[in-house]
Structures are given as structure tokens and as C-alpha cells.
Amino acid sequence: MPEFASVAVQHYQWAGLDFMFDADGTPVLLEANRCSHMLWEYLLLYNDDTPFRLIAEVLSAADGPTCLMWRQDDPLPDADEDACWIAGHLRLHLDREVFICHVEDNQQDSDQLLTRDGNRIRPGSIFRWWYDLPWSYERSGVCVINPNAAWVAVRDKLACYSSLAAAKSFRVPRSFAVETPDEASAILSAHPDLFERGYVIKPRVGFGGHGVQIADPHDSPQLFSGNHLLSERIIPQLRDGNFWDVRLFVMAGRYLGGVLRSSPGAVTNVFQGGTPLRLDDDTAAALQAPALEAVQLLDAAAEAVHGLPHPPDTDLTNVEY
């Protein structure tokens, strides 16, 4: 793989970014992930464990033991890319003893974690994957990957887009908050030029392509309720007749390219049947500057959250298992 560039980050260490190119070739960031999956596919496609090495270096640099968060039932029988699998790859590069801690046993504010062996330790670093974790750890100086501050910065897509609005090397889809199909229909009628290529409706907080509507210009919105996002539809030039987008990785501030997701249908998410492919060098190079700029902007947004005198009262750090 080519040698890529890096930027300094404090909070958004494990970054997965979804990009597409619009009709005039401008990179468009579709989503930033709070705890990106698809490292399984990355490893299969490239046979390169650099993402784990870089994160292990961050964990090892902290003053104190490293803890990895699992659920009590992990690993599940049908698991592939889960906390246990990631832990196995991180352990290859960590320079210290690792302690496994169950998420369910550590849901109260504290500066210590209860290990699965029943001991209490004060961690120097925590890899929490996509599991919920109290604010007290990052607030007491523990290196958490990724911390709640980063989750708050990226998890609400509309707020995330707002943080990225000033980007110079890419753009985000023009979007509106909606809660009902009637609200969406009114906005579609008011902005026909914006939605001349169609529209997308998706949950403001969601993952895996679940609940996403991708529609042509004159299609009526399907039933939905609650906090959703209505966005202009970005349609790339097809590759071999397929729709495609890219999951990019920036680990510990270093750009690593990513995985191309291809599908005959408009939804390319691998959870919804998209096919993961190696990303060609030209596309990887074209997306390096946008990915690094996005991570810097989102890291700054996370720093603003981290700098608040008290943690925000938000559901964005909650997880439904």
C-alpha cells in the first residue's frame, strides 16, 4: 500500500469515514462512525494489521494498564469482527499486560474498573469498542478509544454535518431534520432543484444501513417516525454498472486508505449486501486530504465537548444491545 500522511488527534483515534463522489467529482462525506467496523474486511483485503498497531501504540503510551471492554457473553457463537477479535489483534502490539473488563460490571462513575477476574484497577487506557462507558474515565484523564466526547461529535449525523460545514477539501450532503413523512414531503416540494436527483431519508442516529430510504425525485417518502435526516441524493458515476462508496480509515491520525463497497443497488453498506473490494490507489490518494481534514474537524468538535465543565446530558452515549 502507498505511504499515507498523518495529522495530530486527541480524541477521534479510531475513525471510519464514508465518502462518495458527487456528479462533478467533489468528495462528499456521508457519515463518520463512532467505532468503525470493517477492519475484518480491511485485513482480508490487504493482509495489513497497521490499524491495530497504531491504536496499540496509543494505548501503550498511557500511564497505567490497558483494559479491553467485553460483554459477559462475548464472544458470541456467530461473531466475526467483535471486541474479542479486535482484542486479539491489539494484543499482538501492546507492550503490557492487558485486562479484560465486562461492560455490564462497569456502568457506574468511577476511576477504577472491575476486571473479569474480580480485581479493581485504575486504567491508563481503555479500548471500549462500541460499548457504553461512563464519562468518568475520560474525565479523569484515562485514554479512551473512542471517548464519549468523540461519540457526541459524530453520532448525530446532522450535528456532525454542522461540524464539517467549513471543510475545504470536501462537502457534506445538504440536509434537513425531519420527524414525519409529511415534513419530508413539504421540504421536497419547497426545494425541487436540490432534490432533482432524488433524496435520502435515514435515522439521525443509526448504523449498518438500517432504516435508510433512497428514493427517486417523485417517490413519496415511506413511513418513518422520530429523528431522521432528509438529504440530497448523491449519485456517483457507476463502476462496472454498480453503485459504490468508500469506507476510509484514519487510525491514531494516520490515513490508511480503506475499503470500496459495491452493489447493484443504491444501498452499498456491507450489512445490507454490499461487496467489499480493495480501494484503488488513485481513489485512495484523492480521498486522503478530505479524510484527514474531516478527522481534524471532528476531533476539534470532540475537544469542545471534552472542554465543557460537565458532561452533556445526551442519549448519544447510550447503546442498545
Side-chain angles (χ1 to χ4, degrees):
M1 293 182 65
E3 186 67 25
F4 293 121
S6 301
V7 294
V9 294
Q10 293 294 320
H11 306 284
Y12 196 25
Q13 301 279 1
W14 181 283
L17 310 167
D18 296 340
F19 270 91
M20 188 180 282
F21 291 92
D22 67 13
D24 65 5
T26 300
V28 182
L29 187 145
L30 304 176
E31 186 170 345
N33 296 271
R34 73 186 192 273
C35 55
S36 180
H37 288 68
M38 294 196 68
L39 273 300
W40 176 280
E41 290 83 359
Y42 184 94
L43 197 59
L44 287 176
L45 290 169
Y46 298 104
N47 192 29
D48 178 12
D49 67 349
T50 298
F52 306 101
R53 177 178 59 79
L54 293 172
I55 294 302
E57 289 174 358
V58 176
L59 294 169
S60 295
D63 184 15
T66 293
C67 295
L68 307 177
M69 306 304 296
W70 290 8
R71 288 180 291 179
Q72 291 174 351
D73 292 336
D74 285 340
L76 299 176
D78 59 347
D80 43 34
E81 183 181 359
D82 64 358
C84 308
W85 180 82
I86 291 173
H89 287 278
L90 289 174
R91 278 173 153 167
L92 298 175
H93 303 284
L94 289 166
D95 65 356
R96 61 186 63 191
E97 183 180 3
V98 174
F99 297 88
I100 305 301
C101 303
H102 289 148
V103 178
E104 297 90 339
D105 296 334
N106 292 283
Q107 288 301 303
Q108 302 299 318
D109 282 336
S110 175
D111 64 353
Q112 295 184 331
L113 286 171
L114 178 66
T115 72
R116 66 176 176 179
D117 297 324
N119 300 313
R120 290 197 172 275
I121 60 172
R122 189 182 191 285
S125 57
I126 300 172
F127 186 84
R128 52 95 64 89
W129 192 215
W130 62 276
Y131 301 143
D132 43 349
L133 190 70
W135 285 88
S136 55
Y137 298 102
E138 63 196 77
R139 288 267 161 166
S140 64
V142 177
C143 171
V144 179
I145 298 179
N146 283 324
N148 286 331
W151 282 35
V152 171
V154 306
R155 200 172 179 197
D156 181 330
K157 296 177 181 65
L158 190 61
C160 179
Y161 286 176
S162 178
S163 297
L164 298 171
K168 295 179 171 54
S169 60
F170 67 94
R171 70 179 184 90
V172 294
R174 285 156 287 192
S175 303
F176 303 83
V178 292
E179 295 189 0
T180 66
D182 287 344
E183 287 183 12
S185 294
I187 294 171
L188 291 169
S189 297
H191 302 277
D193 292 343
L194 177 59
F195 298 108
E196 64 180 355
R197 297 174 65 83
Y199 63 90
V200 177
I201 296 175
K202 56 186 173 182
R204 283 177 59 171
V205 179
F207 71 98
H210 301 292
V212 176
Q213 301 180 35
I214 299 179
D216 292 326
H218 301 295
D219 291 344
S220 297
Q222 299 175 16
L223 183 64
F224 69 90
S225 63
N227 292 330
H228 279 64
L229 200 66
L230 169 64
S231 300
E232 62 172 313
R233 183 176 177 184
I234 309 298
I235 303 180
Q237 291 188 353
L238 301 186
R239 287 195 176 200
D240 300 322
N242 287 335
F243 293 88
W244 63 282
D245 66 4
V246 179
R247 168 66 57 86
L248 300 174
F249 299 105
V250 180
M251 295 294 183
R254 181 176 169 188
Y255 179 64
L256 296 175
V259 176
L260 188 147
R261 303 182 295 193
S262 176
S263 173
V267 178
T268 58
N269 194 288
V270 173
F271 285 112
Q272 305 300 323
T275 300
L277 302 169
R278 285 178 66 103
L279 183 61
D280 63 276
D281 289 349
D282 288 344
T283 304
L287 289 171
Q288 175 174 261
L292 292 177
E293 184 182 12
V295 165
Q296 287 182 300
L297 290 170
L298 293 171
D299 198 61
E303 173 60 25
V305 175
H306 181 72
L308 295 172
H310 303 287
D313 183 12
T314 176
D315 291 331
L316 294 174
T317 58
N318 297 338
V319 178
E320 293 184 10
Y321 297 109

